Amino acid sequence: MIEASIFYRSMPGGYFLKLLESKDASALFTTIEANKTELSQWLPWVESTRSVTDSRAFIEESLRKNKRNENMIAGIWHGQKLVGCIGFNEINLHTRKAAIGYWLARNYRGKGIITESCRVLIEYGFGELMLNKIEILCADQNLKSRAIPQRLQFKEEGTLRDYLRLHDQYVNIIIYSLSRRDWHAMS
């Protein structure tokens, strides 16, 4: 379990990662709402986020899962502004595996923020959680999202056909992975 007040990682350019807390619900909802069109293109949960209450419920459920060592969802902050989220959507400490998910507000894209945030989580996952494998799943047509694991030298493992339902159609998901052994060989 990671205490909300403990997980804090600073990054270049005044950005930092901090575990989401209930008090962040308004900031989370505001950022999602301002980026709803772009985010809903690839993320099925966006349409069901209709109020601050929905964002608070998401954060509280994430914190419950965090206490059970099942996930870790952090806000990406620039000063006092929440500009996105990243985290281990799923953690399995028994198999020593986790999956990273991320999204970023449109005005902050293309600056390397997600790549750097992923590096922070990778180091945390392999170093502190003692994971053996980290995965990133991306819609096959989401080329910008797919560029992140490619840039970080994840291996493309395969395609999960018709895996995710988006806008009344099914899309393929590409699964990327990075092992502890590969990460240390690159370091």
Side-chain angles (χ1 to χ4, degrees):
M1 173 179 69
I2 301 110
E3 295 292 330
S5 60
I6 294 175
F7 186 79
Y8 175 95
R9 299 293 190 275
S10 61
M11 301 187 309
Y15 294 92
F16 63 92
L17 304 181
K18 179 182 76 68
L19 204 65
L20 287 176
E21 301 175 77
S22 292
K23 67 181 182 177
D24 301 323
S26 181
L28 179 60
F29 177 73
T30 299
T31 304
I32 291 168
E33 191 65 20
N35 294 274
K36 196 167 205 149
T37 301
E38 295 87 358
L39 294 177
S40 66
Q41 184 177 0
W42 303 113
L43 302 170
W45 53 263
V46 174
E47 293 302 321
S48 63
T49 304
R50 297 183 180 104
S51 69
V52 173
T53 302
D54 294 330
S55 292
R56 185 173 294 106
F58 166 75
I59 291 169
E60 290 172 358
E61 178 62 17
S62 294
L63 290 170
R64 283 190 291 276
K65 286 181 177 180
N66 177 260
K67 286 182 181 178
R68 296 189 307 262
N69 294 312
E70 295 173 354
N71 81 359
M72 185 187 85
I73 308 298
I76 303 170
W77 297 84
H78 189 244
Q80 297 297 315
K81 185 171 180 61
L82 179 67
V83 299
C85 284
I86 189 166
F88 291 121
N89 292 335
E90 300 171 18
I91 298 173
N92 185 326
L93 293 180
H94 178 72
T95 61
R96 301 285 177 205
K97 185 172 78 167
I100 294 176
Y102 45 79
W103 62 267
L104 196 62
R106 82 176 137 285
N107 293 340
Y108 293 85
R109 295 181 192 147
K111 300 177 182 188
I113 298 164
I114 291 293
T115 301
E116 184 60 28
S117 297
C118 282
R119 281 191 184 101
V120 168
L121 280 190
I122 291 165
E123 289 185 16
Y124 182 80
F126 289 143
E128 295 185 44
L129 295 180
M130 303 304 292
L131 298 174
N132 183 60
K133 187 174 185 177
I134 296 174
E135 299 173 340
I136 296 177
L137 283 69
C138 305
D140 64 350
Q141 299 299 307
N142 190 345
L143 302 181
K144 290 182 180 184
S145 186
R146 290 180 61 188
I148 304 298
Q150 292 166 354
R151 189 174 302 120
L152 292 166
Q153 298 181 28
F154 277 59
K155 307 286 188 245
E156 185 176 324
E157 292 215 4
T159 302
L160 302 170
R161 296 180 323 119
D162 294 336
Y163 188 79
L164 181 65
R165 187 168 184 217
L166 280 173
H167 312 292
D168 295 324
Q169 61 183 342
Y170 289 91
V171 297
N172 296 335
I173 295 294
I174 307 296
I175 186 166
Y176 295 91
S177 72
L178 183 67
S179 71
R180 169 193 288 278
R181 178 182 56 228
D182 292 341
W183 180 252
H184 289 302
M186 291 185 281
S187 300

